[in-house]
Amino acid sequence: MTEETPGFEEKPDVPSGATDDDAEPKAASEEAAPAGDADQTAGLTAQLDQVRTALAERTADLQRLQAEYQNYRRRVERDRVTVKEIASANLLTELLPVLDDVGRAREHGELVGGFKSVADSLESIVTKLGLQQFGEEGEPFDPTIHEALMHSYAPDVTETTCVAILQPGYRFGERTIRPARVAVAEPQPGATPAAAKEEKADDEESGGATEV
């Protein structure tokens, strides 16, 4: 059994020819290694943040361009529809005199034979294109869709009323391409409207029936 000599400390093996000064730089480099790894990680994190920022900017640019393109497509489609409606309205406006002639021929009983077939086809086509005729006798006068060519007074009306349709009106979609040309009648000044007279007579009859 070997006895340890008091006061003697064992030292790590040192290569032959090496001194204590040679071992100290090695320990210092081993301690500096973790600091170098931290700097490298920080650099990579910064680069990653830059890449993320650039990606977010490019994504925002792409979304903005996509929104602008969608708005452009909507404007083009809206303009295309508007141009088509204007062209159709102009064409239908040019056909209105022909439709008026067809209407007069029908009123006089002259719409017969081949002429009737042509007229029916024409009216069918313009109806499919969206042309709508309006204007009827007895309807209230509306200056936004009626054009009064004749005026008179009548005791049997309670408001300004279309009493004759001189030319029918036509609309295309929401666009009025020709107002209905009408003769209107207003209530006779100072005269009691017929409806008011009837109502007054009914009141008198009902009142007389309840009297004892």
Side-chain angles (χ1 to χ4, degrees):
M1 180 174 183
T2 305
E3 294 182 359
E4 296 181 358
T5 304
F8 177 78
E9 295 180 358
E10 294 183 356
K11 293 183 179 181
D13 295 335
V14 178
S16 60
T19 63
D20 293 341
D21 294 337
D22 295 334
E24 291 179 358
K26 181 177 181 182
S29 63
E30 290 178 353
E31 293 177 357
D37 293 341
D39 293 341
Q40 185 177 6
T41 301
L44 293 175
T45 302
Q47 292 179 1
L48 181 60
D49 291 339
Q50 292 178 356
V51 171
R52 288 175 176 173
T53 301
L55 178 60
E57 292 176 353
R58 298 300 179 269
T59 302
D61 292 340
L62 180 60
Q63 292 175 345
R64 183 170 60 254
L65 290 174
Q66 185 176 10
E68 292 177 355
Y69 177 68
Q70 292 297 333
N71 292 334
Y72 168 76
R73 287 187 60 186
R74 283 194 289 268
R75 287 196 303 270
V76 170
E77 181 65 19
R78 185 172 59 249
D79 293 344
R80 186 185 67 82
V81 172
T82 300
V83 170
K84 181 180 178 181
E85 289 179 351
I86 293 174
S88 298
N90 291 337
L91 173 62
L92 294 172
T93 300
E94 296 296 327
L95 292 175
L96 294 186
V98 180
L99 296 174
D100 292 336
D101 292 339
V102 170
R104 284 190 290 267
R106 181 178 287 109
E107 291 176 357
H108 292 85
E110 299 175 356
L111 202 62
V112 294
F115 181 43
K116 182 177 184 305
S117 299
V118 174
D120 291 343
S121 298
L122 176 62
E123 290 176 337
S124 176
I125 291 172
V126 296
T127 300
K128 289 181 180 179
L129 289 175
L131 185 67
Q132 298 177 348
Q133 180 178 310
F134 66 90
E136 295 182 0
E137 294 182 8
E139 64 184 9
F141 176 75
D142 184 351
T144 62
I145 60 174
H146 297 136
E147 180 181 353
L149 300 182
M150 299 177 64
H151 176 269
S152 63
Y153 294 98
D156 58 342
V157 297
T158 59
E159 60 181 341
T160 305
T161 305
C162 301
V163 295
I165 306 300
L166 307 179
Q167 275 187 332
Y170 290 95
R171 66 169 59 95
F172 176 68
E174 298 181 356
R175 183 198 307 265
T176 299
I177 60 177
R178 190 181 75 181
R181 291 164 179 163
V182 300
V184 300
E186 289 183 325
Q188 189 73 32
T192 303
K197 288 182 179 180
E198 293 178 359
E199 183 178 356
K200 182 178 180 180
D202 292 340
D203 292 341
E204 291 177 352
E205 290 177 1
S206 61
T210 56
E211 292 180 0
V212 179

